[in-house]
């Protein structure tokens, strides 16, 4: 994709602080980190979001998440890690090239990624589960 920032980072036409690379993935530091060490893992092959994802790289992604998370823990001394992947503007996706955020966390660091939502009742919650089961059947 000619105008994709992450494609340009992967092919070297834009700079990045690379931390890790495999045949299928490229990982680099986020320019505006939620905390220091915040890393992005990006498939080398362009695709917009999870809906177009090539599932054959699933195990590569999981392996890279483990490897990078372990290194972040060792280097930053963080006591927790969030792994986040945004799809669509309403979910906070700013760059339309699939990627996973690996975010180091510390006690009382003040990050609040998931303010709490609620069902009005158990009936509503059960109805949601039923609809999802039907969609997945
Ligand atoms: P998202 O909001 O999930 O699309 O995340 C995009 C992330 O890419 C943001 O956290 C940005 O800070 C980060 N970002 C954007 N441009 C660059 C860049 N040139 N180098 C490193 N990180 C970037
Ligand atoms: Zn791209």
């Amino acid at each position: 994709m000619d105008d994709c920032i992450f494609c340009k980072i992967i092919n070297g036409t834009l700079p990045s602080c690379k931390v890790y690379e495999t045949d299928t993935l490229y990982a680099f530091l986020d320019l505006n980190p939620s905390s220091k060490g915040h890393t992005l893992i990006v498939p080398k092959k362009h695709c917009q979001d999870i809906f177009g994802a090539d599932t054959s790289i699933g195990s590569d992604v999981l392996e890279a998440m483990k490897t990078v998370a372990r290194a972040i823990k060792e280097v930053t001394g963080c006591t927790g890690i969030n792994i986040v992947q945004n799809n669509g503007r309403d979910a906070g996706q700013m760059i339309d090239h699939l990627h996973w955020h690996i975010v180091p966390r510390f006690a009382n660091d003040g990050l609040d990624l998931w303010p709490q939502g609620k069902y009005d009742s158990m009936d509503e919650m059960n109805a949601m589960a039923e609809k999802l089961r039907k969609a997945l059947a």
Side-chain angles (χ1 to χ4, degrees), residues 5-6 9 28-32 40 86 92-95 99 101:
I5 288 176
F6 284 1
I9 285 176
F28 55 100
L29 292 183
D30 194 303
L31 198 57
N32 303 111
L40 302 173
N86 299 325
Q93 183 177 15
M94 295 185 297
I95 305 289
H99 56 279
H101 296 254

Side-chain angles (χ1 to χ4, degrees), residues 82-104:
N82 286 120
I83 297 182
V84 179
Q85 191 269 311
N86 299 325
N87 299 280
R89 295 289 173 268
D90 289 341
Q93 183 177 15
M94 295 185 297
I95 305 289
D96 289 336
H97 181 135
L98 178 66
H99 56 279
W100 285 264
H101 296 254
I102 317 295
V103 183

Side-chain angles (χ1 to χ4, degrees), residues 1-8 10 42-48 95-98:
M1 290 286 283
D2 293 345
D3 57 353
C4 172
I5 288 176
F6 284 1
C7 282
K8 285 181 181 164
I10 291 159
V42 181
K44 287 183 173 174
K45 194 171 154 211
H46 180 91
C47 104
Q48 181 171 331
I95 305 289
D96 289 336
H97 181 135
L98 178 66

